[in-house]
Amino acid sequence: MLEGLAVWALLIYLLRLVGMPWNQYSKAFTYIGGSAWLLFVWVGLITYTPMDLSGGSLVQSPHIQLRPGSTQVTGNIKALHVKPNQQVTKGQLIYELEDKVYQIALNKAAAQVQSAEVALSSSLDDVRINESKYAIANKEIKINLDQQVEIQADLSWKRTTLQRYIDQNKVAAFTITESKLDEQKTAVQVASAKLTVLQSQAEKLVLNAQQAQLNTIKSGHAVNSRKADVANQTEVYAQAQWNLDNTRVYAPAYGYLTNFIIREGQYIGAMPRIQMYTNEKYVLMRVNHQAIRNIKVGQASEFASAVYPGHIFSAEVEGIIEATGEAQGSLLAKETSVRATTGQNVMNKHHFVRLKLIETEDYDIPVGSVGLAWISGAKPIAFLGFLDVIRGVIIRMKSQIYYFYSM
């Protein structure tokens, strides 16, 4: 607002230099016009080019816990490969845990995989054996059936011969002796008995074939079970390998470490003992209610901090924080108190906006730094673009004050 007053005062000064008289009319123009100009500039600045004049815009950075990927991987630190406040690169080894227990678990899992594979191989052999038995049983059935056909033909021929002997004796008695007839009858009985035996054997062979078929199916189920065992033990081995790999902790991104206090031999459990910040930095800036509707992702902004007095950092809007902490409701099953809620939030006039900070190679602003920031918001007409100039002048003027900020 003072900057707008300075611009108006400069205009009046120039008008006076070119000969404007100082009378009641020029005074009315100066005071009334100055008030209108200040009101216009003030409303325009807070609505279309918001700036956090509190100086509390905060530099933040994503931080990552440097610990094994699971709380089940614990142990004492065997080797520490970094120092406090050190720059790290992506994939750099940070520390190692004692891995003897996890190596034993991996070896045990490997032995279990081998045992499961042997059991699977044995089951496959059982399948092949039962398939062979089934095939042999079917061949034996075929042989039995062929023998039955042969015996039936022989029995039929012997019965026919016996009947011919009997018919011949009826025509001419005693042309066929009694011994010959008895011999033929015996041959018929023997052939009939052989046929009966083969038929009984055929039933047994069918049962054997069915049993072999069932054993083959059962062996197939056993193979599927062994395959599942192999798959399960393989996953157990993979888990053991993953646990062993996670005893070595690497940096997942480029960044830097904080002032950690862990040392070799210290126990790493469920709680992380060290963390890092990435090189990506952003500014958390508050924006008043009047301006938040004019803020869009990708809009240009600027930031200044006492860390680098007189320097202006370029930035852009990365995101708009849609909710504030005051918006958080209670998880308890109770009604909200009107007076308490209203009283706590009556002064809440701001939202948070996240700015992506653009650092050049010569500057490295620490996380946690605070400063001034402003955003070039959306404007209804192009004429209001001069508001960006005013904001640019303001932040550059105020950045000079940072030379004496600590004093």
Side-chain angles (χ1 to χ4, degrees):
M1 190 171 183
L2 293 178
E3 290 76 6
L5 180 61
V7 173
W8 183 258
L10 178 61
L11 174 63
I12 299 301
Y13 175 74
L14 294 176
L15 291 176
R16 292 276 292 168
L17 285 180
V18 298
M20 183 183 75
W22 191 246
N23 51 36
Q24 59 180 357
Y25 298 106
S26 59
K27 291 180 180 180
F29 170 76
T30 300
Y31 300 140
I32 297 175
S35 299
W37 167 255
L38 288 178
L39 179 62
F40 170 73
V41 172
W42 181 62
V43 172
L45 288 176
I46 66 174
T47 304
Y48 303 113
T49 55
M51 184 177 191
D52 184 7
L53 294 173
S54 68
S57 295
L58 178 66
V59 178
Q60 295 182 328
S61 175
H63 65 278
I64 304 171
Q65 297 177 354
L66 296 175
R67 54 151 296 115
S70 171
T71 56
Q72 303 301 318
V73 180
T74 60
N76 296 323
I77 296 178
K78 179 174 68 175
L80 184 63
H81 301 281
V82 293
K83 297 179 180 180
N85 307 307
Q86 175 183 330
Q87 292 282 338
V88 295
T89 58
K90 184 177 181 180
Q92 180 178 342
L93 181 61
I94 305 299
Y95 63 86
E96 302 175 65
L97 298 180
E98 295 287 348
D99 59 357
K100 185 175 181 180
V101 174
Y102 301 100
Q103 187 64 58
I104 293 173
L106 180 64
N107 296 338
K108 182 179 178 180
Q112 290 174 341
V113 170
Q114 186 176 5
S115 176
E117 289 176 346
V118 170
L120 175 60
S121 178
S122 177
S123 296
L124 291 173
D125 291 339
D126 290 341
V127 169
R128 287 190 287 269
I129 291 172
N130 288 315
E131 287 177 346
S132 298
K133 289 181 177 180
Y134 180 62
I136 292 172
N138 285 329
K139 289 182 179 179
E140 289 178 346
I141 291 174
K142 185 177 184 303
I143 292 172
N144 181 277
L145 294 176
D146 292 340
Q147 289 176 345
Q148 287 186 45
V149 171
E150 182 182 354
I151 294 297
Q152 284 177 348
D154 182 61
L155 177 61
S156 177
W157 175 77
K158 288 179 178 179
R159 283 177 176 173
T160 302
T161 302
L162 177 61
Q163 187 62 41
R164 189 174 67 252
Y165 287 169
I166 294 172
D167 292 342
Q168 184 176 343
N169 274 347
K170 288 180 180 180
V171 176
F174 303 111
T175 56
I176 303 298
T177 63
E178 289 293 330
S179 60
K180 188 69 173 178
L181 287 174
D182 292 338
E183 182 181 351
Q184 191 63 30
K185 289 179 180 179
T186 301
V188 170
Q189 292 174 353
V190 170
S192 179
K194 287 183 178 180
L195 180 61
T196 302
V197 170
L198 288 175
Q199 289 176 344
S200 299
Q201 289 178 348
E203 293 178 357
K204 183 178 180 181
L205 291 174
V206 170
L207 292 176
N208 291 339
Q210 292 176 349
Q211 183 64 41
Q213 186 179 25
L214 291 175
N215 289 337
T216 302
I217 296 173
K218 184 178 179 181
S219 298
H221 294 327
V223 167
N224 293 333
S225 178
R226 297 296 180 266
K227 287 181 178 179
D229 291 340
V230 170
N232 180 63
Q233 295 302 328
T234 302
E235 294 302 320
V236 172
Y237 177 84
Q239 178 67 54
Q241 182 67 61
W242 186 86
N243 289 341
L244 179 61
D245 293 341
N246 271 266
T247 59
R248 299 167 63 89
V249 178
Y250 300 88
Y254 292 93
Y256 53 94
L257 302 174
T258 55
N259 189 29
F260 61 85
I261 58 174
I262 65 171
R263 296 294 182 267
E264 292 183 0
Q266 186 173 357
Y267 179 78
I268 299 296
M271 296 297 294
R273 302 292 183 181
I274 181 175
Q275 66 179 9
M276 64 167 289
Y277 288 87
T278 68
N279 288 336
E280 177 189 1
K281 296 177 184 177
Y282 58 88
V283 176
L284 197 62
M285 169 191 172
R286 70 173 188 175
V287 174
N288 52 290
H289 283 171
Q290 297 96 319
I292 194 66
R293 69 182 185 275
N294 298 316
I295 304 302
K296 303 291 185 293
V297 174
Q299 290 175 339
S301 60
E302 291 182 329
F303 174 76
S305 174
V307 177
Y308 294 103
H311 181 76
I312 305 300
F313 290 92
S314 297
E316 66 178 22
V317 177
E318 186 180 64
I320 300 172
I321 311 302
E322 298 291 344
T324 63
E326 292 84 357
Q328 181 67 49
S330 174
L331 297 179
L332 300 177
K334 65 177 184 178
E335 298 298 332
T336 304
S337 172
V338 175
R339 184 170 62 178
T341 303
T342 304
Q344 291 174 357
N345 296 282
V346 67
M347 298 302 294
N348 180 23
K349 301 178 181 179
H350 299 86
H351 285 275
F352 277 129
V353 173
R354 177 169 165 165
L355 309 179
K356 183 178 181 180
L357 193 62
I358 302 174
E359 291 180 307
T360 58
E361 295 181 357
D362 298 331
Y363 297 94
D364 182 17
I365 188 166
V367 173
S369 303
V370 295
L372 296 168
W374 74 277
I375 301 173
S376 175
K379 302 171 183 63
I381 55 176
F383 170 74
L384 295 178
F386 77 92
L387 297 174
D388 293 346
V389 178
I390 296 177
R391 280 302 192 204
V393 172
I394 293 173
I395 195 171
R396 282 160 177 78
M397 292 174 59
K398 290 185 177 295
S399 68
Q400 303 302 317
I401 301 177
Y402 282 138
Y403 282 105
F404 312 96
Y405 180 77
S406 298
M407 301 172 59

